[in-house]
Amino acid sequence: MAEDCGHDCGNCSQGSCADRKAPNLRVEPNKDSKIKKVIAIVSGKGGVGKSLVTSLLACKMQKMGYRSAILDADITGPSIPESFGESDKRADVVEGQDLLQPVVTESGVQLMSMNFLLQNENDPVVWRGPVISGAVKQFWTDVVWKDVDFMFVDMPPGTGDVPLTVFQSLPIDGIIVVSSPQQLVRVIVEKAVKMANMMNIPILGLIENMSYVKCPDCSKEIYVFGKSNIEGIAKNFNLPVLARIPMRPETSAHVDSGDIENLEVPELEEAAEVIKKLL
């Protein structure tokens, strides 16, 4: 509806407001890219392990014989390169074209992150929202993604400019919402779920990170952050819980050493099966 709408649809030259379609803001990848399915990993707040889950899912699908890629949409706080031990790499320009090649990891996962474009990985990106959103779109349009079965988009926290840009501009086939057990997260998860519903983006399910610690002696689950309410949230929105990932010392060790590709997380089996069915 236009700002100067007089609400007189019968005499309006543009017809009824109800009959007008919203503008299509979808952008196409470049002609040399081939991407089959795009999955956004979202959360309403930071610090819940969204980038960890993104990396683990990409590695999981790669190990299953699919070709994975990660578009790191967290422009001001990228952590994907460090997890894969690729923080010293820089994206190469495609010869004779104004396009970039993604960094390819040891196992073959294709990555694009803001850190691959900075002279120094510790340099801050001090940009306003529209510029950040433009950079995310360029990661889609100006990077040559080769034969990708599943692209995982690591979203920044919240429901602001970048999530809106990704949902409107990219052909998102589904989202996975990441949470942690704290009660505060309930409201944040609901915001992310409701935003996806507003944008008509299918939600594949919920993944809870830092769900518990397993006692090494008796295998009892210890709820460091209190008893989880993920099942209740999932029931409210009629969504499946795809995984509850515990806290393990080896997780931090693998991530800190840039060796996430060799980290085994059996709890992600169900999530991988759901993702596989998208093809």
Side-chain angles (χ1 to χ4, degrees):
M1 184 183 296
E3 292 182 4
D4 58 350
C5 179
H7 307 287
D8 184 8
C9 294
N11 295 316
C12 179
S13 61
Q14 299 183 50
S16 170
C17 294
D19 294 334
R20 291 180 221 158
K21 293 182 179 180
N24 184 4
L25 303 178
R26 186 71 56 81
V27 295
E28 297 295 326
N30 67 78
K31 61 181 180 60
D32 296 321
S33 288
K34 185 178 179 182
I35 307 154
K36 292 181 180 178
K37 298 296 178 181
V38 183
I39 301 154
I41 312 299
V42 308
S43 175
K45 69 183 295 294
V48 299
K50 178 172 42 54
S51 296
L52 172 67
V53 170
T54 301
S55 302
L56 290 175
L57 287 174
C59 293
K60 183 72 173 177
M61 301 314 293
Q62 191 76 19
K63 290 174 184 176
M64 292 173 65
Y66 299 98
R67 293 176 292 261
S68 296
I70 297 177
L71 189 159
D72 189 354
D74 196 350
I75 301 296
T76 60
S79 58
I80 296 294
E82 190 78 21
S83 299
F84 283 86
E86 304 287 358
S87 57
D88 60 334
K89 298 287 182 64
R90 295 297 174 265
D92 292 328
V93 176
V94 178
E95 187 175 353
Q97 301 182 59
D98 292 329
L99 299 173
L100 295 172
Q101 294 178 338
V103 170
V104 181
T105 71
E106 184 177 337
S107 70
V109 179
Q110 299 175 51
L111 309 176
M112 179 49 65
S113 174
M114 192 64 207
N115 270 10
F116 295 144
L117 304 178
L118 300 176
Q119 185 173 0
N120 187 326
E121 65 169 315
N122 295 320
D123 291 341
V125 177
V126 188
W127 292 348
R128 296 190 183 275
V131 181
I132 293 174
S133 297
V136 171
K137 284 200 284 189
Q138 285 185 291
F139 282 179
W140 173 255
T141 60
D142 295 355
V143 175
V144 179
W145 301 97
K146 292 289 188 180
D147 298 321
V148 175
D149 292 316
F150 297 107
M151 171 179 283
F152 297 91
V153 182
D154 183 22
M155 304 275 270
T159 56
D161 284 348
V162 172
L164 183 60
T165 295
V166 171
F167 286 168
Q168 291 180 328
S169 304
L170 275 60
I172 304 297
D173 295 287
I175 73 167
I176 292 175
V177 181
V178 181
S179 72
S180 58
Q182 296 96 323
Q183 185 62 26
L184 170 66
V185 175
R186 177 187 178 90
V187 177
I188 306 301
V189 168
E190 291 186 4
K191 287 181 183 291
V193 169
K194 288 179 178 178
M195 180 180 184
N197 289 335
M198 288 173 60
M199 304 295 294
N200 294 317
I201 305 292
I203 304 172
L204 302 180
L206 311 178
I207 290 181
E208 184 177 75
N209 187 39
M210 301 181 286
S211 189
Y212 56 89
V213 175
K214 184 168 285 189
C215 175
D217 296 324
C218 66
S219 296
K220 179 181 178 181
E221 294 182 0
I222 303 169
Y223 300 99
V224 179
F225 297 112
K227 190 70 174 178
S228 168
N229 194 34
I230 192 70
E231 298 290 348
I233 298 174
K235 185 177 180 179
N236 286 347
F237 290 98
N238 195 28
L239 295 171
V241 176
L242 301 179
R244 293 172 62 238
I245 304 175
M247 292 187 287
R248 297 187 180 98
E250 56 265 34
T251 299
S252 295
H254 278 272
V255 172
D256 291 346
S257 62
D259 190 36
I260 197 167
E261 290 173 288
N262 291 316
L263 176 62
E264 295 295 334
V265 181
E267 290 80 9
L268 290 174
E269 291 291 340
E270 182 177 346
E273 288 301 314
V274 169
I275 292 168
K276 185 173 69 173
K277 291 177 182 178
L278 292 176
L279 281 181

